[in-house]
């Protein structure tokens, strides 16, 4: 049996699959990056598993995470999303996703892609942290602080440092797999 990160709940096969195949894999695709941004923002104050279980609902509700389409959502779309039981019906988070799609477009215009912009915060290479035990996990870092601050300056919402740290982990800019986890080495090679 493979050893995994201590936070993985082995009783939840979908959680294990997310850990084993997706969490921490470097993302260079803007649509995937936007997906993680929407999902991590939706997670604020909730568990990741709560959002993971609703991922397909988010995918359908937010136009397959097409940031160009989401940026065009109207107040009528917001009202429809507020009735959608497949997602977390939090008006501020829904409106933030739409706002962030617009800001996402602005960054793409300036940098060529969102991934080019965000990877610049880690000098275009994965940061690998030394995670010996669950106590070594952190919620923020100087990188997530700087990224959050810059995104806020650009008008993004629901992107505090903790959310951005989770985003950096999920999108593989930071490898926070535990040292004994089988994924740590696979992602480093």
């Amino acid at each position: 049996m493979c050893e995994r990160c201590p936070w993985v709940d082995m009783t939840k096969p979908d959680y294990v699959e997310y850990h084993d195949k997706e969490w921490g894999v470097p993302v260079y695709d803007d649509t995937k990056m936007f997906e993680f941004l929407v999902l991590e923002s939706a997670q604020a104050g909730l568990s990741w598993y709560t959002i993971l279980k609703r991922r397909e609902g988010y995918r359908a509700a937010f136009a397959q995470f097409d940031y160009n389409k989401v940026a065009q959502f109207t107040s009528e779309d917001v009202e429809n999303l507020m009735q959608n039981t497949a997602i977390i019906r939090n008006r501020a988070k829904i409106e933030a996703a739409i706002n962030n799609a617009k800001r996402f477009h602005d960054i793409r215009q300036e940098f060529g892609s969102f991934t080019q912009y965000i990877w610049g915060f880690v000098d275009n290479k994965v940061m690998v942290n030394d995670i010996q035990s669950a106590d070594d996990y952190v919620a923020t870092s100087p990188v997530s602080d700087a990224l959050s601050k810059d995104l806020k300056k650009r008008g993004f919402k629901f992107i505090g440092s903790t959310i951005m740290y989770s985003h950096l982990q999920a999108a593989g800019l930071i490898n926070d797999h535990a040292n004994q986890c089988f994924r740590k080495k696979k992602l480093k090679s």
Side-chain angles (χ1 to χ4, degrees), residues 2 20-21 24-26 175 177-179 181-189:
C2 294
D20 289 0
K21 295 183 178 173
V25 175
N175 182 338
H177 281 282
N179 293 351
C181 178
F182 80 101
R183 293 292 290 159
K184 180 84 155 204
K185 287 182 184 143
K186 284 190 177 192
L187 290 171
K188 282 174 69 173
S189 50

Side-chain angles (χ1 to χ4, degrees), residues 52-101:
L52 184 63
K53 289 187 306 184
R54 291 172 173 78
R55 189 179 200 177
E56 290 308 314
Y58 274 93
R59 186 169 278 128
F62 287 93
Q64 307 301 309
F65 299 109
D66 181 328
Y67 43 85
N68 290 312
K69 289 180 181 175
V70 175
Q72 301 302 315
F73 280 15
T74 65
S75 56
E76 184 178 321
D77 292 313
V78 172
E79 295 310 318
N80 289 336
L81 290 169
M82 287 297 294
Q83 304 307 312
N84 187 337
T85 58
I87 66 170
I88 302 299
R89 295 173 292 171
N90 177 304
R91 184 176 301 276
K93 291 179 181 182
I94 291 168
E95 289 175 345
I98 297 165
N99 170 76
N100 292 350

Side-chain angles (χ1 to χ4, degrees), residues 37-172:
L37 193 64
V38 170
L39 296 175
E40 294 295 346
S41 295
Q43 179 193 346
L46 303 169
S47 75
W48 174 245
Y49 192 66
T50 298
I51 301 304
L52 184 63
K53 289 187 306 184
R54 291 172 173 78
R55 189 179 200 177
E56 290 308 314
Y58 274 93
R59 186 169 278 128
F62 287 93
Q64 307 301 309
F65 299 109
D66 181 328
Y67 43 85
N68 290 312
K69 289 180 181 175
V70 175
Q72 301 302 315
F73 280 15
T74 65
S75 56
E76 184 178 321
D77 292 313
V78 172
E79 295 310 318
N80 289 336
L81 290 169
M82 287 297 294
Q83 304 307 312
N84 187 337
T85 58
I87 66 170
I88 302 299
R89 295 173 292 171
N90 177 304
R91 184 176 301 276
K93 291 179 181 182
I94 291 168
E95 289 175 345
I98 297 165
N99 170 76
N100 292 350
K102 294 172 184 172
R103 305 294 74 82
F104 197 89
H105 178 72
D106 296 342
I107 285 179
R108 284 179 48 81
Q109 293 286 39
E110 183 177 344
F111 291 87
S113 72
F114 188 85
T115 56
Q116 204 165 349
Y117 160 78
I118 198 168
W119 276 94
F121 281 85
V122 294
D123 295 326
N124 296 304
K125 57 183 181 266
V126 175
M127 296 179 66
V128 180
N129 288 325
D130 182 21
I131 308 292
Q132 299 281 341
S133 72
D135 293 338
D136 293 326
Y137 285 101
V138 298
T140 64
S141 71
V143 171
S144 67
D145 292 346
L147 177 57
S148 173
K149 183 178 179 181
D150 192 65
L151 288 170
K152 286 178 183 176
K153 183 177 77 176
R154 294 171 182 278
F156 281 72
K157 308 280 186 214
F158 269 92
I159 43 77
S161 187
T162 300
I163 290 170
M164 293 319 302
Y165 193 83
S166 293
H167 179 79
L168 293 166
Q169 290 173 308

